[in-house]
Amino acid sequence: MNILSLLLAGGRVPAILGRWRCFPVPLGSSLFQALHNSCCRKKSTAPKKIIPHVDFSDENAKESGKALDKLFSSEQQASILHVLNTASNKELEAFTLLRGKKSLSIVEHREKFGPFQNLESLMNVPLFQYKTTIQVCNSILNPETGGKKRKLQENRLLRKLIKPEIGRERLKAINSIVSIVSGTRRIAWAHLDRQLAVLDWQQTEYCRLMKGTYLSSAYLEEISSVVSKMPKADFYVLEKTGPSFQNSSLFPILLHFHIMEAMLYALLNTTFTRDGRHQVLSMNRNAVGKHFELMIGDTRTSGKEVVKQLLSESVLKEEPRVFFPPDKIVRYRQMFSSTEQYRVEELYDSLLQAIAFYELAVFNTES
């Protein structure tokens, strides 16, 4: 007997497994109503959405397939069956509810048993039960619903990727960005346009910032000098790092990164501000690592080999992933070669971060 049955029978909830206290629940109380709402599923009233109440007993399950044909008009059934019988696996995946194994199961079932004759036959496909089949049919009839869900999912991913939040219209209008990565001894930046052409790529060292007492004047002087060398761009993207607070030995490094980030935010926004809107964003470091498959567990490995491959492809391929201008490629290759022995990660990461920003945040929002 469930909680709702007990309430209806006696109006009280007894102690359950000794964990909760016994207390009276009047039938008209808000708690009773909340329990009733949670236990009794209501029919959806949204337009064009058909999700009726279904009793999943054995007898009714046998009749559920036949009931499907009664839920949709003949025109709707014809449209659904046309999609199920003609769409490729990739085309089926365009519908949110058919991504992954479901679309492949439809294609395999169709190839093995022939085209679907009615909606009831869809329930013979693995992973398709009565309620799932209704939702899939609605998704095919109302593809814009799947599109809205995809947009919401993209927005959630975008919020995890970059901070602060930025409107999609501003991302679509981007022509160039400067990607900036700072370390304990040097800072590097890469200037890329939306065709992924490397307009500028360089680094500079600072040796006195982490010595002594972290003087604000020293940071201001060093970072102001760096910012003065940076080109104008639509956005300036900083790497967001997060050393663990649990390791006290990393506190000086964490303090340094926070000072650098704050200084760069202030100086870049002051120097390159437009219409009073912020021009500086932070990008999740691990998201870039995952994009280039550099993560081993929670640890990000060196991006040197990826950058080396990008430099080679720029010369060998007609349509490389990243374009290095012919008048600069020799200088960039020499700069890279001079750092290979010392593994200057900031230089590599600034380029990879710029590429990931375009591919994850800009190009993915244009559809």
Side-chain angles (χ1 to χ4, degrees):
M1 182 177 292
N2 58 29
I3 294 177
L4 182 58
S5 301
L6 290 170
L7 285 170
L8 293 173
R12 290 175 181 271
V13 178
I16 301 175
L17 301 179
R19 292 183 60 193
W20 299 332
R21 294 170 56 191
C22 180
F23 56 92
V25 182
L27 292 178
S29 70
S30 58
L31 176 57
F32 176 85
Q33 188 62 40
L35 288 169
H36 180 273
N37 290 340
S38 66
C39 296
C40 301
R41 183 176 298 169
K42 296 182 179 180
K43 296 181 182 179
S44 173
T45 58
K48 297 185 179 181
K49 287 294 180 182
I50 307 171
I51 307 178
H53 174 76
V54 180
D55 183 354
F56 286 98
S57 63
D58 290 340
E59 294 182 0
N60 286 333
K62 296 178 182 178
E63 300 297 327
S64 61
K66 297 180 180 179
L68 276 172
D69 293 334
K70 300 179 182 179
L71 297 176
F72 301 94
S73 68
S74 58
E75 291 82 4
Q76 289 175 326
Q77 291 182 44
S79 298
I80 296 169
L81 290 172
H82 176 74
V83 172
L84 294 174
N85 288 328
T86 62
S88 65
N89 181 44
K90 186 175 182 180
E91 290 170 336
L92 288 171
E93 285 187 336
F95 299 98
T96 305
L97 296 177
L98 291 179
R99 291 177 183 172
K101 293 183 178 180
K102 286 189 175 69
S103 61
L104 185 60
S105 295
I106 288 176
V107 173
E108 290 177 346
H109 188 276
R110 194 173 67 198
E111 292 175 349
K112 186 174 181 180
F113 300 102
F116 296 96
Q117 300 300 320
N118 48 48
L119 300 186
E120 177 185 353
S121 58
L122 185 58
M123 294 180 61
N124 296 325
V125 179
L127 305 177
F128 283 83
Q129 296 181 355
Y130 183 69
K131 183 178 178 181
T132 304
T133 302
I134 293 177
Q135 291 173 337
V136 166
C137 291
N138 277 319
S139 178
I140 292 174
L141 291 173
N142 303 279
E144 70 279 1
T145 301
K148 289 179 181 178
K149 288 184 178 180
R150 182 170 60 84
K151 294 292 185 184
L152 291 173
Q153 185 179 17
E154 288 178 355
N155 288 336
R156 286 194 294 268
L157 293 175
L158 199 59
R159 285 194 292 269
K160 293 180 180 180
L161 182 67
I162 56 177
K163 299 288 185 181
E165 292 185 24
I166 178 174
R168 299 167 72 93
E169 67 284 351
R170 291 188 70 189
L171 288 173
K172 291 180 181 180
I174 286 177
N175 290 314
S176 74
I177 65 166
V178 173
S179 169
I180 306 167
V181 175
S182 60
T184 56
R185 297 182 56 189
R186 62 182 62 87
I187 185 170
W189 66 91
H191 185 202
L192 273 69
D193 65 17
R194 70 181 301 114
Q195 283 73 43
L196 296 186
V198 182
L199 307 178
D200 188 23
W201 186 29
Q202 57 179 292
Q203 64 169 340
T204 185
E205 293 193 0
Y206 42 71
C207 299
R208 64 191 183 104
L209 291 186
M210 291 190 65
K211 295 180 179 179
T213 57
Y214 298 88
L215 291 175
S216 299
S217 57
Y219 276 90
L220 181 61
E221 182 180 344
E222 290 280 1
I223 300 174
S224 295
S225 175
V226 171
V227 169
S228 67
K229 300 174 185 177
M230 291 184 181
K232 289 185 178 181
D234 295 310
F235 282 99
Y236 297 82
V237 184
L238 309 181
E239 181 184 66
K240 186 67 175 179
T241 58
S244 174
F245 274 108
Q246 296 177 354
N247 190 342
S248 59
S249 65
L250 294 177
F251 179 77
I253 297 176
L254 183 64
L255 176 60
H256 166 77
F257 283 143
H258 280 314
I259 295 175
M260 289 291 296
E261 184 179 29
M263 286 280 187
L264 285 168
Y265 258 101
L267 292 173
L268 288 168
N269 271 320
T270 301
T271 305
F272 300 107
T273 186
R274 295 180 184 177
D275 303 324
R277 298 191 295 180
H278 66 267
Q279 303 296 121
V280 186
L281 304 171
S282 291
M283 187 167 185
N284 187 290
R285 171 179 168 81
N286 284 351
V288 178
K290 291 177 182 177
H291 187 60
F292 288 100
E293 299 182 351
L294 297 176
M295 302 300 296
I296 299 179
D298 295 329
T299 303
R300 178 169 160 179
T301 59
S302 174
K304 182 182 72 171
E305 293 302 320
V306 178
V307 173
K308 187 175 182 179
Q309 182 180 358
L310 292 171
L311 284 165
S312 298
E313 290 178 352
S314 181
V315 177
L316 300 175
K317 290 188 175 182
E318 291 186 8
E319 296 183 2
R321 185 174 183 177
V322 181
F323 175 71
F324 294 87
D327 60 328
K328 297 181 179 180
I329 183 64
V330 174
R331 178 166 64 88
Y332 290 152
R333 288 176 68 91
Q334 290 175 345
M335 179 179 64
F336 176 82
S337 298
S338 67
T339 65
E340 279 194 282
Q341 182 179 354
Y342 306 101
R343 287 182 55 175
V344 183
E345 298 298 333
E346 295 85 358
L347 187 67
Y348 316 145
D349 291 350
S350 64
L351 180 63
L352 297 180
Q353 179 175 259
I355 299 169
F357 181 86
Y358 275 113
E359 293 179 347
L360 294 175
V362 178
F363 300 155
N364 271 357
T365 64
E366 292 182 343
S367 56

